[in-house]
Amino acid sequence: MTPEMHIERTTLAEGHEISRLIRGGWQLAGDHGTVDHAHVSDDLLAFYDAGITTLDCADIYTGVESLIGDFRRHLANTRGEDALARLKVHTKFVPDLAILPAITSADVATIIDRSLQRLGQERLDLVQFHWWDYDQPRLIDAALALRDLQREGKIRLIGGTNFDAARVAQVAAAGVPFATMQVQYSLLDRRPAHAMAALAGQIGTRYLCYGTLAGGFFDEAWLGAPDPAGSISNRSRIKYRLVIDEYGGWDAFQALLATLDAIARRHGARIAQVASRWVLDQPQVAAVIIGASHPRHLPATLGITALELTPTDRAEIAAVLQPGPQGEVYAMERDRNGPHGRIMKYNLNTG
């Protein structure tokens, strides 16, 4: 049996089938260390050949759309046009905070055209819309501009990124129901299971989940390890260490890790696989986004879909889970003066 036969797939819309494991692109932007650009296409090809045929990126991930454009050409040259048709690339539309007060439909078109050029596509497979500041009133105007571009054939599906339930409903009422919503969803952060879940079920929005591995904290290396707070320089690790505080702190996290480790050992699996499988099994979840940065992570990533959690496993996890962050999806991150908002970069399209 080939590895590809283990990869689950799901259909977001007619003609848009994706792997339920999505290869994330944030790590390729360089914030996590040096990126060997010369080998990116071969690395992505290894994941594609194993059945992970869906990629996630963003206009604000520096250089990543262009890297994926290079990979698309490499895939067509090495595997043929049929392979290229099977590949799905999910990007994002994230207008800079600075332009939100005066954003126009022409601005939206310019950003989308830039993504098309970088990726080498005539039509973007999925554009995931993010809006930094709800106090800026042109959110609906921007969403309608995306819809117009969709009608022109430049966008196949429109999704959202980190919207709360009220805004999802507002945008849907304006005539732009999101096909997907990219959300932070993990055992540490279960906010998408609350207000958003009921609405998503009603309008058919599926979750694409990031943060499932908490920036690498869901790993045996952290079991029994001292709290690294204050000594972390990696921005992703800083972000998820803050989430651990919201979850209940380092001791509560250690209790969860110990439980996941026991479950993983019973299955001959890894902590990361158990954490990801738990999210994949939640309602409305179409896929999880795994930020594997090297093909050596591929076998462990493939193991996620081979794992089946038992009722006993789920009960043991539920028994140690803390409530975690409360409120709406992405609410604490939207406070630009708070610890979660202060580490964000808001104007990455500039220049």
Side-chain angles (χ1 to χ4, degrees), residues 63-290:
V64 176
E65 285 183 326
S66 295
L67 286 171
I68 291 177
D70 292 341
F71 169 63
R72 292 184 72 256
R73 289 183 284 274
H74 181 63
L75 180 64
N77 290 335
T78 58
R79 299 294 185 269
E81 292 296 326
D82 288 346
L84 187 60
R86 194 177 186 215
L87 177 72
K88 296 296 182 289
V89 179
H90 298 171
T91 193
K92 299 181 186 71
F93 165 67
V94 188
D96 287 348
L97 177 65
I99 75 166
L100 298 189
I103 193 170
T104 67
S105 59
D107 294 324
V108 177
T110 295
I111 295 171
I112 294 301
D113 285 344
R114 186 181 60 192
S115 291
L116 286 166
Q117 189 275 328
R118 288 170 171 172
L119 289 165
Q121 293 181 287
E122 294 182 358
R123 180 176 65 174
L124 299 175
D125 297 323
L126 172 68
V127 173
Q128 300 163 102
F129 175 29
H130 178 71
W131 191 258
W132 287 116
D133 187 353
Y134 290 149
D135 290 334
Q136 300 300 326
R138 300 197 180 193
L139 186 159
I140 297 300
D141 293 336
L144 292 174
L146 288 173
R147 186 189 64 181
D148 290 343
L149 293 170
Q150 184 183 42
R151 289 173 174 174
E152 289 177 24
K154 291 186 175 183
I155 299 171
R156 175 165 180 74
L157 296 178
I158 299 173
T161 302
N162 294 323
F163 281 93
D164 62 20
R167 273 69 183 194
V168 172
Q170 183 183 9
V171 174
V176 193
F178 290 134
T180 61
M181 181 58 57
Q182 188 169 139
V183 289
Q184 181 172 288
Y185 199 173
S186 73
L187 285 162
L188 299 175
D189 182 2
R190 304 185 302 284
R191 287 175 291 174
H194 302 144
M196 181 75 76
L199 176 63
Q202 291 170 11
I203 66 175
T205 300
R206 306 281 299 283
Y207 289 158
L208 305 177
C209 304
Y210 70 91
T212 301
L213 301 181
F217 276 112
F218 278 122
D219 187 271
E220 285 77 8
W222 292 105
L223 181 61
D227 186 350
S231 63
I232 307 171
S233 58
N234 180 297
R235 191 159 63 96
S236 178
R237 285 275 169 83
I238 293 170
K239 167 184 169 61
Y240 290 108
R241 180 59 191 81
L242 290 170
V243 174
I244 289 172
D245 282 339
E246 300 288 346
Y247 172 76
W250 192 251
D251 288 344
F253 175 61
Q254 286 295 314
L256 175 58
L257 272 188
T259 297
L260 299 180
D261 183 57
I263 293 169
R265 288 174 182 275
R266 285 203 298 265
H267 290 276
R270 307 281 295 180
I271 287 174
Q273 292 167 336
V274 176
S276 295
R277 183 74 251 180
W278 185 92
V279 175
L280 264 179
D281 291 342
Q282 300 310 302
Q284 297 306 123
V285 173
V288 297
I289 300 166
I290 304 297

